[in-house]
């Protein structure tokens, strides 16, 4: 049996994983990255629109700072986020983007002088400052008060991923491609690495490490239509769940992106609307202002997706053989803008729809896009319950997005969390606690267990077809755990998924019996794991009897802080369970910098927590007093919710801005 | 970052290959045009011949000049062939690979390159023979002398093969040169490349037609002329002593 | 989409071979698939795997033409399968893996390893020994047009189509190919990379580099991202000649 030892094992070679690897390597620890695909093919590459960082360089971003980014993020999360984590994030986003600039990302830059933009369907002249010329510019995105989303045309994720992967290669990070972690090795509440399967030749390898990081992205592929890459199947969350010790947070928090093309579900970036694109119904009527007079098309993603669904339900959708859809109109941006700043969108329209978006409207509808939930960790990225297991990026729930993520905060999170978590991991590896105490015979037990499972799948007779189970699961998730949810459907979903789970124990790999590269075998074991994840989502959604962010219950339309200002924590302690165990973790109001309030969309139905009012007045009192004393915004912030001491020392500095609007 | 001296040879070789190719292609464009003077008249062809022998500069003809020119071209030819040879497929396997590749991809530019390889190969021999004869028998050029060579000395078939090879090789080469160095690339290489390719095709057709017609004319003269008076053409206007 | 195509039965012939199976040998296998509206090769191949032969190997990741995983020979020409609509092809479609790359099985190839080797050889990252980076300071300025130009070349997705489309590299596998030359052009353009012309000359100033290119332009013709390969290789060639003339 093959055992490979390293300091830090990183599962997942997207932006988050590569940034962690680079970070620990710089701190002098060995790092091995396991990836399903070559790192540059990770789903991070598909992030088109941009990365949020409050640089405040462009005219429409003037006056932006960490406070405003923080407020947008918390409101966007519908107060589900961990405010300290969000603070750490907004503080480090400018640092991350500047680091990426030095690593070679060709961020679009501010050009001095006047340029025209489309704002609210009007051409508007914007005058850029002389002194900002050549600094990183930004575009508008949904749910943000300022233009804060930095970009490279609409290939932002691609450019970031290439820069970070190149950096990792420069730093000699070891990349083991086409190796899939299929279970975690752990003992006595401590994680020691993973058992991985080589997808090219079927070999099983044990990777033993001081620290193990899961950065495998989201689990969108439990839905039949998703903007996610086909590898976003949540295998990282699943192997964590299968330890029985690590927990998952807020799995029911699933984001639907408003503008994926019909029918294939490929994303067209929020940048389309950020740059001035409009949503139209079957009559060519712009309906968003009727629902959201203030933010219109640029309301938060969850809001726009719900409004679109409502509008379709009113019979205003365009009928097609693939169901109803609406139109995204970017023709008003002009061909030049589209060919320069939205060229991926253009290519996608040409290749998958056969249309020219400079002339034609794009058929779109809300589609599964992002997983706010994931492996529950502390602000240090470490599992709350399984020591030595870390997670970051979309795979994790540390939890900066709460129940809805803002556009542009995802790629930003990947690099920021990668920067931070690599430091925490390095600290851990430097400490005595990190020493590895596991016998090789124990490791071999883990290997053998996986080998047996695979053998069972290949040798079973008269079993179930994994494809049939998987399609059934995807259908249940689409139909019953979608944008609008209700108790009856969710109960059915849980029951049906539980049934699928039982059947999935009896999966047989038909015909294709190779022990080496074998897509049928891969599909079989992944399907088993995906059904478990689907259950955590459906059950979490069923139990959460309120509407918060992207989780929208028709039977409980109000956000209920009194009963539900808490995180759903899911685990699977006994492998014979057919449903996950669900627990809750309070989100304490007492130390919130921004106490729960009204998000500003639709009618305010919020049922407030009894402690909210007290915290609101306390925050007001402290702020007023300090303002009167002439305190700076940083001092006020620090008085309300100190966070700097949680950051690694090198990231505590104040971010410089033009004219220093601190 | 190393600080040793860079090896300049690869750059030199590339530049020499391209520039010798360019010179030879321009030469051939002129050569075929001049030679086609026979299509106008015997007299015209004669005048062109003596022009190259320096008659209009010195008042008398020196075939040595042509010998010298032929030797110069021959040298460039050898240089070009020697350097370009390194691009040839080095084995049958490589040849097979590129041929299958071009065919299965149905890729015109790759196929054009194979044509260049084949024509280049053909010219190793045909070109050498022709150039050697021109070098050694420079005085035997003229309406009758040349026709005699085509017919009596059985050079016709060789010239035909050489003509096709050289025209294809030269114009494909010029097309490739333009693309290779970004000559008149313009805003869109798609547009400029299309134009260059079109031009290349026109030139190939034109020069093949012109060359073939000239060759036909020499053949005709060769067959119909009575060579018993010798090979020399007597101009009605220009009288001179031979050297 | 044309109506008459809606109900075609596609015949998809795939070059199959499992190198892990000692009894297997390369052979063509033909599948019939009922064409649907908007069907891409991504949909067709998954359909075959799910309903006809679950051992069929191929690679898709983003399935949106962004990640470069699914390059293969479609009727002999390298292209991204995910964004190839079947309606644009004849009824009989031939699929084969890209040549030159290590074959994992059927249509699945190891482009990752090849590209990583190339990136290591050309050191495709920013070289700046004197850089003093501060996490807190304003970023270095860059001309907006220059940033756009760099991005234009940064768009390469390492799909390998240009490699498979290049006759030169088929004959001489050590040639860096358009993907490598484009990367050099990209870093040469980038003022953040402090490498000098001579450094680049050492990387690609030979016959495995820019002087190996015979301008067959297969790369330019098959690049799914329409990168300006012809133009950039010509530019590099001129630049390398200039460099060789100095000192």
């Amino acid at each position: 049996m093959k055992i490979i030892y390293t300091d830090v094992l990183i599962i997942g070679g997207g932006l988050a994983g590569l940034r962690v690897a680079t970070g620990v390597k710089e701190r002098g620890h060995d790092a091995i990255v396991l990836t399903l695909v070559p790192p540059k093919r990770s789903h991070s590459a598909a992030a088109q629109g941009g990365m949020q960082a409050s640089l405040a360089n462009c005219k429409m971003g003037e006056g932006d700072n960490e406070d405003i980014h923080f407020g947008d993020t918390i409101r966007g999360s519908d107060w589900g986020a961990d405010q300290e984590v969000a603070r750490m994030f907004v503080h480090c986003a400018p640092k991350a983007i500047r680091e990426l600039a030095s690593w070679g990302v060709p961020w679009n830059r501010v050009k001095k002088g006047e340029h025209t933009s489309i704002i609210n369907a009007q051409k508007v002249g914007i005058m850029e400052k002389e002194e900002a010329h050549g600094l990183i510019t930004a575009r508008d995105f949904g749910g943000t008060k300022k233009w804060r989303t930095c970009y490279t045309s609409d290939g932002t994720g691609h450019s970031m991923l290439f820069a970070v992967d190149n950096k990792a290669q420069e730093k000699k990070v070891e990349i083991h491609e086409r190796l899939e972690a299929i279970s975690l090795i752990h003992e006595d509440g401590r994680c020691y690495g993973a058992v991985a399967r080589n997808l090219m030749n079927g070999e099983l390898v044990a990777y033993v490490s001081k620290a193990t990081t899961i950065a495998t992205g989201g689990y969108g592929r439990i839905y039949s239509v998703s903007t996610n890459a086909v590898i976003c199947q949540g295998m990282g969350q699943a192997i964590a769940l299968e330890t029985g010790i690590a927990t998952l947070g807020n799995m029911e928090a699933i984001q639907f992106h408003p503008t994926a093309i019909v029918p294939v579900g490929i994303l067209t970036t929020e940048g389309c609307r950020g740059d001035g694109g409009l949503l139209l119904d079957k009559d060519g009527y712009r309906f968003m202002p009727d629902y959201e007079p203030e933010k219109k098309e640029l309301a938060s993603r969850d809001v726009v997706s719900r409004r679109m669904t409502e509008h379709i339900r009113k019979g205003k959708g365009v009928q097609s053989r693939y169901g109803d859809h609406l139109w995204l109109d970017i023709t008003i941006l002009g061909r030049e803008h589209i060919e320069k700043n939205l060229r991926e969108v253009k290519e996608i329209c040409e290749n998958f729809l056969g249309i020219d978006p400079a002339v034609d409207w794009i058929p779109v509808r809300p589609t599964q896009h992002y997983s706010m939930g994931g492996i529950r960790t502390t602000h240090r990225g470490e599992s709350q319950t399984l020591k030595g297991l870390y997670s970051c990026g979309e795979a994790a729930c540390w939890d900066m997005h709460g129940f809805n993520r803002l556009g542009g905060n995802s790629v930003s999170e990947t690099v920021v969390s990668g920067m931070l978590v690599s430091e925490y991991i390095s600290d851990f590896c430097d400490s005595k606690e990190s020493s590895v105490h596991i016998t090789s015979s124990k490791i071999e037990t883990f290997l053998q267990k996986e080998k047996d499972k695979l053998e069972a799948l290949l040798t079973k007779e008269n079993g179930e077809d994994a494809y049939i189970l998987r399609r059934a699961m995807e259908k249940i998730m689409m139909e019953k755990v979608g944008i609008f949810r209700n108790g009856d459907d969710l109960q059915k979903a849980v029951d049906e998924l539980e049934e699928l789970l039982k059947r999935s124990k009896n999966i047989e790999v038909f015909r294709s019996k190779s022990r080496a590269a074998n897509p049928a075998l891969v599909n079989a074991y992944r399907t088993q794991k995906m059904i478990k994840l689907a259950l955590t989502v459906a059950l979490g959604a069923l139990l959460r009897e309120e509407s918060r962010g992207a989780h929208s219950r028709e039977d409980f339309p109000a956000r209920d802080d009194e009963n539900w200002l808490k995180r759903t924590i899911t685990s699977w302690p006994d492998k014979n369970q057919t449903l996950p165990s669900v627990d809750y973790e309070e989100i304490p109001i007492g130390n919130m910098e921004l106490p729960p309030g009204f998000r500003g969309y639709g009618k305010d139905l919020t049922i407030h927590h009894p402690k909210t009012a007290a915290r609101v007045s306390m925050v007001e009192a402290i702020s007023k007093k300090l303002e009167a004393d002439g305190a700076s915004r940083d001092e006020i912030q620090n008085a309300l919710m100190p966070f700097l001491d949680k950051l690694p020392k090198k990231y505590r500095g104040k971010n410089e801005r033009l004219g220093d609007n601190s | 970052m190393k600080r040793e001296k860079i090896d300049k040879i690869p750059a030199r070789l590339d530049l020499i290959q391209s520039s010798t190719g360019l010179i030879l292609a321009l030469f051939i464009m002129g050569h075929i045009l001049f030679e086609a003077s026979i299509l106008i008249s015997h007299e015209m062809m004669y005048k062109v011949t003596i022009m190259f022998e320096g008659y209009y500069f010195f008042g008398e003809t020196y075939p040595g000049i042509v010998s010298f020119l032929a030797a110069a071209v021959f040298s460039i030819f050898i240089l070009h062939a020697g350097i370009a040879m390194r691009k040839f497929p080095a084995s049958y396997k490589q040849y097979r690979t590129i041929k299958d590749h071009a065919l299965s991809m149905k890729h015109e530019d790759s196929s054009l390159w194979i044509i260049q390889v084949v024509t280049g190969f053909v010219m190793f021999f045909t070109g050498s023979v022709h150039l050697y004869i021109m070098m050694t028998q420079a005085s035997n050029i003229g309406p009758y002398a040349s026709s005699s060579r085509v017919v009596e000395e059985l050079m016709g078939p060789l010239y035909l093969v050489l003509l096709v090879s050289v025209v294809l090789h030269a114009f494909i080469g010029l097309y490739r040169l333009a693309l290779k160095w970004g000559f008149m690339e313009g805003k869109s290489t798609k547009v400029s490349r299309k134009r260059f390719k079109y031009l290349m095709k026109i030139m190939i057709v034109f020069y093949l037609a012109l060359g073939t017609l000239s060759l036909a004319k020499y053949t005709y003269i060769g067959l119909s002329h009575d060579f018993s008076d010798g090979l020399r053409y007597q101009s009605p206007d220009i009288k001179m002593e031979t050297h | 989409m044309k109506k008459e195509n809606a109900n075609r039965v596609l015949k998809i012939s795939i070059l199959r071979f499992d190198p892990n199976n000692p009894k297997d040998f390369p052979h063509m296998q033909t599948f019939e698939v009922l064409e649907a509206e908007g069907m891409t090769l991504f949909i067709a191949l998954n359909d075959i795997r799910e309903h006809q032969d679950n051992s069929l190997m191929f690679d898709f990741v983003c399935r949106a033409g962004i990640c470069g995983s699914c390059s293969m020979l479609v009727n002999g020409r390298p292209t991204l399968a995910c964004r190839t609509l079947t309606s644009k092809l004849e009824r009989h479609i031939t699929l084969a893996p890209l040549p030159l790359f290590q074959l994992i099985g059927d249509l699945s190839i190891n482009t990752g390893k090849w590209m990583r080797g190339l990136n290591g050889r050309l050191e495709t990252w920013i070289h700046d020994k004197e850089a003093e980076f501060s996490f807190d300071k304003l970023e270095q300025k860059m001309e907006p047009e220059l940033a756009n130009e760099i991005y234009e070349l940064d768009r390469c997705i390492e799909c390998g189509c240009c490699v498979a489309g290049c006759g030169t590299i088929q004959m001489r596998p050590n040639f860096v190919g358009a993907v490598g030359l484009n990367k050099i052009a990209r870093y040469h353009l980038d003022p953040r990379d402090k490498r000098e012309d001579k450094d680049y000359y050492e990387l690609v100033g030979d016959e495995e580099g820019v002087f190996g290119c015979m301008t067959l332009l297969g790369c330019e013709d098959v690049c799914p991202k329409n990168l300006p390969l012809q133009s950039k290789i010509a530019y590099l060639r001129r630049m390398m000649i200039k460099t060789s003339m100095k000192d």
Side-chain angles (χ1 to χ4, degrees), chain A residues 244-499:
Chain A
I245 301 167
T247 57
L248 307 182
N250 288 347
M251 291 296 281
E252 68 273 28
I254 303 274
Q255 181 176 75
F256 291 79
H257 194 289
T259 57
I261 63 170
V262 179
V264 284
I266 295 170
L267 182 74
T268 58
T269 171
E270 186 154 324
C272 291
R273 282 170 293 131
D275 291 2
L278 304 176
L279 291 169
L280 307 176
D281 66 13
K282 68 172 183 183
D283 307 317
Y285 174 73
R286 183 186 176 197
F287 57 92
M288 276 309 291
D290 295 352
Y291 294 98
E292 298 297 339
E294 200 194 325
K295 295 290 288 185
K296 306 178 184 79
E297 281 84 358
L298 287 173
S300 246
R301 278 184 184 168
D302 58 329
V303 177
V304 178
S305 288
R306 276 198 295 279
R307 295 313 196 187
M308 289 170 73
T309 310
E310 275 178 69
H311 202 65
I312 289 175
R313 285 182 176 180
K314 285 182 188 164
K316 293 291 184 184
V318 186
Q319 287 178 354
S320 82
R321 55 182 289 188
Y322 298 106
D324 293 358
H325 65 79
L326 294 160
W327 299 113
L328 172 64
D329 173 13
I330 59 170
T331 58
I332 53 170
L333 307 184
R335 182 172 298 279
E336 195 192 341
H337 181 94
I338 292 171
E339 285 177 357
K340 192 169 140 235
N341 286 323
L342 297 169
R343 51 197 299 174
E344 286 299 339
V345 171
K346 183 170 179 275
E347 280 187 15
I348 287 167
C349 287
E350 286 169 351
N351 292 317
F352 295 92
L353 298 168
I355 61 167
D356 175 1
V359 180
D360 306 306
W361 295 345
I362 309 167
V364 293
R365 86 177 146 219
T367 302
Q368 193 289 335
H369 179 59
Y370 189 80
S371 320
M372 274 77 73
I375 298 167
R376 180 68 187 127
T377 72
T378 64
H379 73 274
R380 300 167 67 87
E382 189 174 25
S383 163
Q384 294 175 326
T385 45
L386 184 56
K387 193 132 193 67
L389 175 67
Y390 289 79
S391 181
C392 64
E394 189 178 351
C397 173
W398 61 328
D399 155 24
M400 68 162 271
H401 303 304
F403 276 77
N404 175 58
R405 170 178 73 76
L406 291 186
N409 261 356
S410 63
V411 276
S412 199
E413 178 193 24
T414 60
V415 282
V416 170
S417 66
M419 273 164 76
L420 297 178
V421 171
S422 64
E423 295 298 321
Y424 300 133
I425 291 176
S426 300
D427 293 345
F428 172 70
C429 287
D430 287 339
S431 75
K432 279 188 185 145
E433 285 178 282
S434 69
S435 72
V436 175
H437 303 283
I438 187 166
T439 59
S440 56
S441 62
K442 182 78 187 178
I443 297 165
E444 287 185 9
T445 327
F446 274 94
L447 268 171
Q448 193 57 45
K449 213 191 290 176
E450 292 310 310
K451 202 171 179 199
D452 294 344
K453 277 196 230 167
L454 296 173
E455 259 333 282
L457 288 169
L458 288 166
T459 50
K460 180 144 314 205
E461 281 171 27
N462 303 317
E464 297 273 358
D465 184 340
Y467 277 111
I468 291 176
L469 301 187
R470 186 169 145 198
R471 299 296 173 231
M473 168 199 71
E474 291 170 350
K475 191 158 180 273
I476 294 167
M477 296 306 288
M478 283 300 278
E479 289 171 0
K480 303 191 173 84
V481 200
I483 298 177
F484 284 107
R485 303 166 175 182
N486 66 68
D488 291 345
D489 279 348
L490 288 169
Q491 185 62 57
K492 275 186 212 147
V494 170
D495 294 345
E496 289 167 18
L497 287 169
E498 191 180 5
E499 191 52 39

Side-chain angles (χ1 to χ4, degrees), chain B residues 31 35-36 38 45 129-130 133-134 137 140-163 210-225 227 231:
Chain B
H31 179 4
E35 176 193 296
I38 193 71
M45 196 269 170
V129 169
H130 176 55
I133 294 173
M134 286 305 107
Q137 304 183 35
N140 275 344
I141 301 175
Y144 298 142
S146 299
S147 300
S148 152
R149 191 158 38 246
V150 168
V151 177
E152 305 280 305
E153 294 172 27
L154 287 175
M155 288 300 280
L158 183 126
Y159 281 174
L160 188 64
V161 172
L162 179 59
L163 173 73
L210 195 66
T212 319
L213 284 177
S214 309
L215 195 56
K217 180 79 180 281
Y218 287 115
T219 313
Y220 171 76
I221 297 170
L223 291 173
S224 54
H225 185 72
F227 289 104
L231 297 176

Side-chain angles (χ1 to χ4, degrees), chain A residues 77-318:
Chain A
S77 79
D78 223 353
W79 278 271
D82 181 318
Q83 299 204 357
E84 285 175 345
V85 167
R87 257 297 166 189
M88 291 161 65
F89 161 72
V90 297
H91 178 80
C92 292
K95 301 180 195 306
I97 198 169
R98 285 166 177 168
E99 179 180 70
L100 287 172
S102 77
W103 288 4
V105 176
W107 298 107
N108 279 42
R109 303 289 171 144
V110 178
K111 190 174 181 181
K112 66 187 171 197
E114 180 156 306
H115 61 94
T116 51
S117 254
I118 308 281
I119 300 175
N120 192 21
Q122 303 291 321
K123 274 197 178 152
V124 181
I126 296 172
M127 193 66 169
E128 298 292 352
K129 287 179 304 227
E130 169 95 38
E131 64 266 33
H133 183 80
L135 293 173
I136 297 171
T137 191
R139 57 163 46 130
D140 200 6
F141 250 43
T144 63
K145 287 207 169 74
K146 300 280 180 189
W147 288 24
R148 187 188 299 128
T149 307
C150 308
Y151 60 97
T152 55
S153 181
D154 60 351
T156 314
H158 165 88
S159 284
M160 291 171 70
L161 182 63
F162 271 51
V164 176
D165 185 44
N166 289 336
K167 191 72 185 177
Q169 193 168 4
E170 181 191 352
K171 295 284 169 199
K172 301 197 162 55
V173 169
E174 253 188 82
I175 307 280
H176 293 193
E177 283 175 17
R178 295 182 192 255
L179 265 125
E180 174 175 9
I182 53 175
S183 82
L184 291 175
I185 299 170
H186 60 100
E187 193 177 33
D188 304 329
R190 171 85 164 81
C191 182
Y192 289 115
V195 175
R197 181 170 177 274
N198 185 322
L199 295 170
M200 294 184 283
N201 59 22
E203 186 185 30
L204 286 187
V205 187
Y207 285 85
V208 177
S209 58
K210 292 176 173 176
T212 308
T213 312
I214 295 180
T216 50
Y219 43 89
R221 282 285 157 181
I222 59 175
Y223 288 80
S224 46
V225 185
S226 165
T227 64
N228 287 187
V230 296
I231 54 169
C232 299
Q233 295 173 308
M235 288 306 103
Q237 289 92 346
I239 58 173
L241 185 69
E242 285 182 339
T243 59
I245 301 167
T247 57
L248 307 182
N250 288 347
M251 291 296 281
E252 68 273 28
I254 303 274
Q255 181 176 75
F256 291 79
H257 194 289
T259 57
I261 63 170
V262 179
V264 284
I266 295 170
L267 182 74
T268 58
T269 171
E270 186 154 324
C272 291
R273 282 170 293 131
D275 291 2
L278 304 176
L279 291 169
L280 307 176
D281 66 13
K282 68 172 183 183
D283 307 317
Y285 174 73
R286 183 186 176 197
F287 57 92
M288 276 309 291
D290 295 352
Y291 294 98
E292 298 297 339
E294 200 194 325
K295 295 290 288 185
K296 306 178 184 79
E297 281 84 358
L298 287 173
S300 246
R301 278 184 184 168
D302 58 329
V303 177
V304 178
S305 288
R306 276 198 295 279
R307 295 313 196 187
M308 289 170 73
T309 310
E310 275 178 69
H311 202 65
I312 289 175
R313 285 182 176 180
K314 285 182 188 164
K316 293 291 184 184
V318 186

Side-chain angles (χ1 to χ4, degrees), chain A residues 37-38 40-41 45-46 48 57 95 98-99 101-107 109-111 131 133-136 152-153 155 158-159 162 165-166 169-170 175 177-178 200 221 226-231 264-266 321-322 340 343-344 347 351-352 419 467 471 510 512 516-517 519-520 651 653-657, chain C residues 18 20 37 40 42-43 49-50 52 54-57 59-69 82-83 85 88 102 104 108-113 115-116 119-120 124-126 133 135-145 147-148 150-152 154-159 183 186-187 190 192 224-225:
Chain A
V37 297
K40 284 182 171 122
R41 314 221 185 284
Q48 300 169 1
N57 291 326
K95 301 180 195 306
R98 285 166 177 168
E99 179 180 70
S102 77
W103 288 4
V105 176
W107 298 107
R109 303 289 171 144
V110 178
K111 190 174 181 181
E131 64 266 33
H133 183 80
L135 293 173
I136 297 171
T152 55
S153 181
H158 165 88
S159 284
F162 271 51
D165 185 44
N166 289 336
Q169 193 168 4
E170 181 191 352
I175 307 280
E177 283 175 17
R178 295 182 192 255
M200 294 184 283
R221 282 285 157 181
S226 165
T227 64
N228 287 187
V230 296
I231 54 169
V264 284
I266 295 170
R321 55 182 289 188
Y322 298 106
K340 192 169 140 235
R343 51 197 299 174
E344 286 299 339
E347 280 187 15
N351 292 317
F352 295 92
M419 273 164 76
Y467 277 111
R471 299 296 173 231
F510 298 101
S512 177
Y651 299 135
K654 200 169 160 48
N655 295 314
E656 189 190 351
R657 289 190 181 79
Chain C
D18 179 1
N20 282 305
E37 198 183 333
T40 58
F42 165 71
I43 297 171
R49 185 194 273 177
E50 191 166 338
Q52 301 189 44
N54 58 358
S55 67
L56 182 62
M57 287 178 266
D59 294 318
F60 288 100
V61 178
C62 77
R63 59 84 176 84
I66 290 168
C67 76
S69 299
C82 73
R83 62 176 214 187
L85 290 164
K88 292 190 177 165
Q102 179 202 340
I104 294 170
S108 173
I109 45 164
N110 199 344
T111 45
K113 184 174 149 194
M115 292 295 169
R116 219 163 183 79
N119 284 317
T124 56
W125 48 80
I126 298 287
F133 177 73
F135 283 105
D136 305 332
K137 296 263 165 54
L138 284 186
E139 65 274 15
Q140 265 185 8
K141 292 190 171 183
M142 180 184 274
E143 277 304 310
E145 277 76 20
N148 290 340
I150 296 171
Y151 174 67
E152 179 69 22
D154 206 41
R155 286 166 51 246
C156 168
I157 55 174
E158 298 188 356
C159 61
K183 278 172 194 286
R186 180 242 177 273
Y187 283 93
D190 196 328
R192 294 169 293 197
K225 290 284 145 184

Side-chain angles (χ1 to χ4, degrees), chain B residues 160-173:
Chain B
L160 188 64
V161 172
L162 179 59
L163 173 73
V164 173
S165 298
V166 81
V167 167
L168 287 173
H169 194 93
F171 289 108
I172 297 172

